């Protein structure tokens, strides 16, 4: 690999060159990251230490909270630290690690959201067989399949990126190492690689979103036959899930399902799926969920 590159580090151009804006962003994102850690750890501990952990939906939610922490931590601490320095450098090795971690944890999160949609489908459309369908063995297998899917998605992309030759410009117009900005500074024709990245990331994200959309159409159609109280309870949990899906998938589809090039809006949209959506997940899943609020209140009051 050393023969293919003479770049040992990359310079991240960040979000803004304005000093006052960088200070504002530092305070804002430090607060967001702290809120994300506290909120997701609160959900994680509350579920693990309560009977809710034995219910499939909350079992998957605990995994989603873990992934939110891992996914965001691969980018946000570096972003916050860079806002305080003038030269925002990242080594070649850390840059490649960031690319892998982002796509690995990101794809697992996408698949966990899909599994949660399947859980809601089984609970609402097949209520009499729900406990049989979503037994603990199957839940464990679904989570294991999500982790395997993350590896299958991220390893080919990582292998393609790490084989790219970097021999000239090393400035990346972003606040973290991502595939499209790296393709722009590679000193070779990256058209084929870019198309493969769009297929792997963009099409997978779009297909998953379409599957989730139609699954909730079926769920909402089935709810017509439920009682008013049943509809209210089902819509409460489904509404939380739909909100998370829109916040995460909307910006992701814009970022990856298009020609492999950079747009000024990329950084803003990236903030949604790297920081904003994971930060709001705890609020979305607790404020609209009475079972979650009761479990948190009971556990922390006892503590």
């Amino acid at each position: 690999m050393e023969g293919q590159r003479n770049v040992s580090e990359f310079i991240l151009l960040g979000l803004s060159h304005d000093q006052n804006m960088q200070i504002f962003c530092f305070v804002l994102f430090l607060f967001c990251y702290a809120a994300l850690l506290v909120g997701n750890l609160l959900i994680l501990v509350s579920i693990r230490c309560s009977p809710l952990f034995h219910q499939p939906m909350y079992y998957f939610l605990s995994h989603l909270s873990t992934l939110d922490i891992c996914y965001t931590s691969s980018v946000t601490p570096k972003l916050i630290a860079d806002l305080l320095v003038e030269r925002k450098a990242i080594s070649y090795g850390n840059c490649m690690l960031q690319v892998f971690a982002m796509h690995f944890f990101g794809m697992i999160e996408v698949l966990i959201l899909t599994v949660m949609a399947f859980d809601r489908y089984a609970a609402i459309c097949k209520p009499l067989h729900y406990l049989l369908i979503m037994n603990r063995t199957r839940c464990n297998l679904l989570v294991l399949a999500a982790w395997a899917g993350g590896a299958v998605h991220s390893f080919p992309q990582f292998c393609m990126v790490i084989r790219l030759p970097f021999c000239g410009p090393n400035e990346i117009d972003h606040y973290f190492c991502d595939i499209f900005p790296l393709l722009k500074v590679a000193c070779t024709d990256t058209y084929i690689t870019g198309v493969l990245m769009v297929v792997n990331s963009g099409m997978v994200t779009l297909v998953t979103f379409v599957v989730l959309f139609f699954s909730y159409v079926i769920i909402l159609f089935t709810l017509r036959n439920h009682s008013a109280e049943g509809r209210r309870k089902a819509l409460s949990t489904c509404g939380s899930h739909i909100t998370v899906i829109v916040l995460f998938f909307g910006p992701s589809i814009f970022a990856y399902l298009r020609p492999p090039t950079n747009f000024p809006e990329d950084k803003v949209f990236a903030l949604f799926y790297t920081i904003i959506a994971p930060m709001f997940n705890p609020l979305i899943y607790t404020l609209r969920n009475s079972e979650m609020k009761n479990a948190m209140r009971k556990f922390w009051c006892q503590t």
Side-chain angles (χ1 to χ4, degrees):
M1 293 306 303
E2 290 295 332
Q4 290 187 333
R5 61 179 175 86
N6 57 13
V7 172
S8 60
E9 66 176 11
F10 295 100
I11 305 300
L12 301 171
L13 298 184
L15 292 171
S16 172
H17 296 291
D18 183 80
Q19 189 64 33
N20 293 327
M21 179 60 70
Q22 290 193 55
I23 294 172
F24 171 78
C25 289
F26 170 79
V27 175
L28 175 64
F29 295 138
L30 183 62
F31 170 79
C32 289
Y33 187 57
L36 181 149
L37 291 177
V38 171
N40 281 294
L41 286 172
L42 190 62
I43 284 183
L44 189 59
V45 174
S46 298
I47 292 176
R48 293 276 178 169
C49 300
S50 75
L52 290 180
F53 184 67
H54 301 289
Q55 297 184 32
M57 183 179 75
Y58 297 102
Y59 174 70
F60 295 134
L61 180 57
S62 68
H63 282 279
L64 183 67
S65 293
T66 303
L67 286 166
D68 277 340
I69 294 172
C70 295
Y71 177 66
T72 306
S73 295
S74 64
V75 170
T76 308
K78 172 66 176 169
L79 166 63
I80 293 172
D82 282 347
L83 289 169
L84 296 178
V85 298
E86 184 176 349
R87 189 174 185 271
K88 303 166 178 51
I90 182 170
S91 69
Y92 176 87
N94 287 338
C95 183
M96 295 299 111
L97 180 62
Q98 199 172 64
V99 170
F100 174 77
M102 278 288 296
H103 286 270
F104 179 62
F105 291 119
M107 179 50 64
I108 298 173
E109 184 156 347
V110 165
L111 295 175
I112 289 292
L113 288 171
T114 307
V115 168
M116 291 175 74
F118 175 71
D119 171 74
R120 291 301 83 203
Y121 168 80
I124 294 169
C125 301
K126 308 285 183 181
L128 298 179
H129 302 92
Y130 175 65
L131 293 178
L132 182 63
I133 296 172
M134 300 303 295
N135 57 63
R136 182 44 61 98
T137 301
R138 183 164 285 130
C139 290
N140 289 334
L141 288 174
L142 288 171
V143 170
L144 183 62
W147 281 81
V152 170
H153 165 77
S154 57
F155 271 109
Q157 293 201 134
F158 176 72
C159 290
M160 283 189 285
V161 171
I162 205 170
R163 290 173 61 87
L164 291 174
F166 299 99
C167 51
N170 66 339
E171 289 189 344
I172 297 177
D173 189 15
H174 217 305
Y175 63 87
F176 67 94
C177 285
D178 202 5
I179 293 172
F180 288 167
L182 283 170
L183 292 180
K184 189 175 181 181
V185 297
C187 51
T188 186
D189 183 9
T190 59
Y191 177 77
I192 299 298
T193 305
V195 171
L196 292 174
M197 297 298 182
V198 170
V199 171
N200 194 2
S201 293
M203 289 303 298
V204 167
T205 306
L206 179 63
V207 169
T208 307
F209 179 77
V210 171
V211 169
L212 290 172
F213 175 80
F214 280 107
S215 69
Y216 277 103
V217 169
I218 295 171
I219 289 171
L220 294 174
F221 184 79
T222 306
L223 283 176
R224 296 187 311 161
N225 302 322
H226 287 226
S227 64
E229 178 62 21
R231 283 197 299 270
R232 185 196 64 77
K233 186 176 180 181
L235 287 173
S236 175
T237 56
C238 290
S240 301
H241 196 190
I242 291 170
T243 305
V244 169
I245 288 169
V246 171
L247 280 175
F248 186 83
F249 278 87
S252 299
I253 290 172
F254 173 84
Y256 294 107
L257 191 66
R258 55 176 174 77
T261 185
N262 284 348
F263 292 110
E265 297 83 5
D266 284 355
K267 299 176 188 178
V268 177
F269 278 97
L271 290 173
F272 275 90
Y273 59 81
T274 57
I275 301 174
I276 305 300
M279 181 189 70
F280 278 113
N281 282 0
L283 290 174
I284 292 168
Y285 279 111
T286 54
L287 294 180
R288 295 176 57 87
N289 192 311
S290 58
E291 285 183 323
M292 191 70 236
K293 285 188 287 188
N294 290 335
M296 292 172 65
R297 191 180 302 116
K298 188 179 298 183
F299 172 76
W300 292 104
C301 286
Q302 289 176 353
T303 304

